[in-house]
Amino acid sequence: MIIMKFGGTSVGTTDSIAQVAEIVAQKVAEQGQTNRPGVVVVTSAMSSVTNSLIDSALAAANGDEGPYRESRSQLLVKHQVVAGQLIDDGVERANVGRLIDSRLQEYERLCRSIAVLGELTHRGLDVVSGLGERMSAPLLAAVLRAKGLHAEFVDAGELIITDSEFGNATPIMEQTVSRCLNRLMPMVQSGVVPVITGFVGATETGVPTTLGRGGSDYSAAIIGAALDVDEIQIWTDVDGVLTADPRIVKNARTLPELTYDEVAELAYYGAKVLHPKTVTPAVEKKIPVVVLNTFNPSHPGTRIVDALERPSTEGTVKAITAIRNMRLITVAGRGMMGVPGIAARTFGTVARQRANVLMISQSSSEQSICFVVPDNEAVGVVSALNQEFEQELGRGYIEKIDSQQDIVIVAVVGSGMKGTPGIAARVFNALGAHEINVIAIAQGASEANISLVVLTGDADNAIRAIHDAFELGE
Ligand code: ADP
Ligand code: ASP
Ligand code: MG
């Protein structure tokens, strides 16, 4: 049994959905020959739909009702074109049309009340932003039926039970596992392909939640682990996980194999190809996660496993990634030296702000602590720190709490870096040769990652320089 997740671009147009149907049909046939047959499908919203839902809801909260009215009709056409071209049966087509229309009516009602209230809560936003998958999944199920497969739409709100951290919910695994087994196993055993909404879940009481942007990858891994599938396939628009973002590095190369740890580092530090939490559910049962290209399905893609079958002989650095829109916060002062607890108070304060610290670096002289947080969380953090250290600032023990904008973290990743001397030197030589200024550095204890902070304007050059220095390209 396998689970196959299709991303936004894979279900973005009539042609690509036809291609997806082709791939699923082939896998269903292949799986039929195995002793554990079964295919489960998870889909994202059609490309750009989630953004358009969110942007229109935000506009509505600011009193602008134009965008949701406009996008409502655009979204109707976008989905109906696919149904019109890929579903021959008139009754099926009408049913899907009605379902899409009723979702969009709900969307309009929601946006209207958001506009009236002039406010958009995280909880409200999750209802709106999950509508894209709630349209694409029933549409894809109908397209698969039109192709002769026994496919049925399932809403992940019935399967993935989460906490109520709206916008970034975490599954409660015990309940999720039993829901998945009860609802999906009988379907699979009777030869049905469940077609499930990615990205969304629901609280125990049924309130819709989402798993964070790009969360459909995570959905597939959660459901795949619950069903104990043999493989979690992530079908996207590139040939797998590459040595760098192909939009930045033209000669980036597909990595045939990676470990869960390496992928977790890459995804956390901005490699958009996988949601950062994707591998978490797969690790315990050691289920391989395979990244494949919908538009080049014969390519073997990237296989992500617990331990490499072919330990790397091709060097130690595997890939380079970057996470943008960051801010570097520095707490500095000579009076900090030897004063215990400054670091603890700093990070305690940051934690109370619920800000996400992506990197920390402290100089050994203890004269400064610097760390990186996302731009949109930085203002709150700085003002909380100013309050926390009011006395120390007054007495001059801490001279300033600074924040620097336009920061990018570049992460150099590879588990083989461990114990290999000279990697950091090569990284810095490469940057030096291109006159790129490194603002801060950190190396994880895992030694699978060296992170450097550079200015936004230098980030792409830094990635290309390191990629070249380690000869990672084709
Ligand atoms: P999907 O809609 O299928 O989930 P995403 O757009 O979320 O696809 O992720 C795929 C994209 O991630 C690729 O088109 C590529 O531009 C980008 N990307 C960034 N870094 C990497 C990387 N290291 N390897 C592969 N793709 C990457
Ligand atoms: N549609 C959602 C998003 O755009 C989830 C996903 O595509 O994985 O974030
Ligand atoms: Mg994605």
Side-chain angles (χ1 to χ4, degrees):
M1 193 190 347
I2 60 169
I3 194 160
M4 310 172 78
K5 175 262 172 176
F6 294 93
T9 332
S10 302
V11 294
T13 63
T14 305
D15 286 351
S16 62
I17 293 186
Q19 168 79 353
V20 165
E22 195 65 47
I23 293 171
V24 174
Q26 199 187 332
K27 287 291 168 194
V28 169
E30 271 173 39
Q31 279 289 305
Q33 309 298 313
T34 67
N35 53 7
R36 277 190 86 208
V39 171
V40 176
V41 170
V42 171
T43 183
S44 289
M46 293 179 77
S47 57
S48 80
V49 170
T50 313
N51 282 344
S52 135
L53 294 168
I54 293 175
D55 293 348
S56 310
L58 290 171
N62 288 322
D64 184 0
E65 300 197 61
Y68 77 77
R69 295 213 171 103
E70 210 172 289
S71 63
R72 181 192 160 162
S73 39
Q74 280 168 359
L75 292 172
L76 187 64
V77 173
K78 189 170 173 115
H79 291 85
Q80 269 181 345
V81 164
V82 177
Q85 292 186 9
L86 298 180
I87 304 170
D88 286 336
D89 184 289
V91 176
E92 269 273 34
R93 204 168 52 231
N95 284 343
V96 176
R98 261 195 302 278
L99 198 144
I100 306 269
D101 197 43
S102 79
R103 296 278 198 261
L104 290 168
Q105 277 175 32
E106 186 187 348
Y107 169 55
E108 185 159 14
R109 271 197 308 275
L110 286 162
C111 286
R112 205 178 305 138
S113 38
I114 291 165
V116 170
L117 291 170
E119 183 189 51
L120 179 54
T121 59
H122 289 298
R123 176 174 166 156
L125 185 59
D126 269 5
V127 181
V128 175
S129 63
L131 286 171
E133 276 73 8
R134 293 190 159 110
M135 293 189 278
S136 64
L139 176 62
L140 179 59
V143 169
L144 294 178
R145 283 195 294 275
K147 216 174 156 59
L149 296 172
H150 299 290
E152 258 176 54
F153 161 62
V154 181
D155 191 309
E158 293 178 51
L159 306 173
I160 300 184
I161 306 304
T162 71
D163 61 13
S164 39
E165 188 70 36
F166 297 104
N168 189 26
T170 302
I172 301 166
M173 270 323 257
E174 213 177 291
Q175 294 177 45
T176 300
V177 170
S178 78
R179 297 266 194 133
C180 287
L181 291 173
N182 291 337
R183 179 79 168 92
L184 301 175
M185 277 320 237
M187 294 175 81
V188 174
Q189 275 155 4
S190 60
V192 172
V193 177
V195 181
I196 308 168
T197 49
F199 185 46
V200 300
T203 64
E204 234 178 315
T205 54
V207 182
T209 54
T210 66
L211 304 174
R213 294 307 307 272
S216 299
D217 305 322
Y218 190 26
S219 307
I222 293 166
I223 300 166
L227 298 177
D228 198 10
V229 297
D230 302 307
E231 197 167 285
I232 297 163
Q233 299 185 344
I234 306 292
W235 290 82
T236 183
D237 58 1
V238 284
D239 284 338
V241 181
L242 309 188
T243 49
D245 186 339
R247 286 168 300 188
I248 296 167
V249 178
K250 292 292 163 238
N251 67 344
R253 187 172 49 84
T254 304
L255 292 154
E257 229 185 5
L258 284 168
T259 63
Y260 294 131
D261 290 344
E262 288 169 332
V263 163
E265 295 281 346
L266 282 173
Y268 186 74
Y269 286 103
K272 195 190 164 209
V273 63
L274 284 177
H275 182 277
K277 293 185 195 156
T278 307
V279 294
T280 329
V283 170
E284 197 184 325
K285 291 181 176 151
K286 300 193 178 162
I287 304 171
V289 177
V290 187
V291 182
L292 295 153
N293 190 348
T294 300
F295 306 97
N296 186 16
S298 59
H299 193 287
T302 301
R303 207 174 164 76
I304 303 159
V305 290
D306 186 44
L308 299 182
E309 269 171 36
R310 285 163 282 150
S312 170
T313 49
E314 31 179 91
T316 46
V317 170
K318 287 231 177 116
I320 301 147
T321 175
I323 184 157
R324 290 159 207 275
N325 301 321
M326 296 286 130
R327 220 180 272 201
L328 179 76
I329 298 180
T330 309
V331 178
R334 280 195 189 80
M336 282 166 58
M337 211 182 304
V339 178
I342 299 266
R345 281 170 63 197
T346 301
F347 293 110
T349 307
V350 176
R352 281 193 295 281
Q353 290 291 307
R354 309 186 74 183
N356 189 14
V357 178
L358 284 111
M359 181 179 147
I360 301 172
S361 143
Q362 179 175 26
S363 64
S364 53
S365 70
E366 291 185 53
Q367 289 189 40
S368 74
I369 300 171
C370 64
F371 58 93
V372 179
V373 295
D375 216 12
N376 56 358
E377 293 170 5
V379 176
V381 169
V382 171
S383 86
L385 285 171
N386 274 307
Q387 256 174 30
E388 171 71 27
F389 291 119
E390 201 179 348
Q391 278 196 359
E392 287 78 0
L393 284 160
R395 291 181 187 149
Y397 295 163
I398 291 178
E399 274 143 36
K400 58 181 180 190
I401 294 167
D402 228 12
S403 105
Q404 184 171 2
Q405 295 186 39
D406 284 327
I407 288 293
V408 173
I409 302 177
V410 173
V412 181
V413 174
S415 54
M417 280 159 47
K418 199 171 188 154
T420 310
I423 303 249
R426 273 169 80 187
V427 170
F428 295 115
N429 281 338
L431 297 178
H434 287 79
E435 295 179 359
I436 294 164
N437 184 29
V438 178
I439 300 166
I441 50 174
Q443 177 166 33
S446 69
E447 288 188 51
N449 174 352
I450 298 175
S451 311
L452 352 135
V453 172
V454 298
L455 288 174
T456 302
D458 285 335
D460 289 359
N461 281 338
I463 295 168
R464 287 190 278 261
I466 302 169
H467 198 268
D468 278 350
F470 288 91
E471 295 171 358
L472 298 182
E474 312 249 31

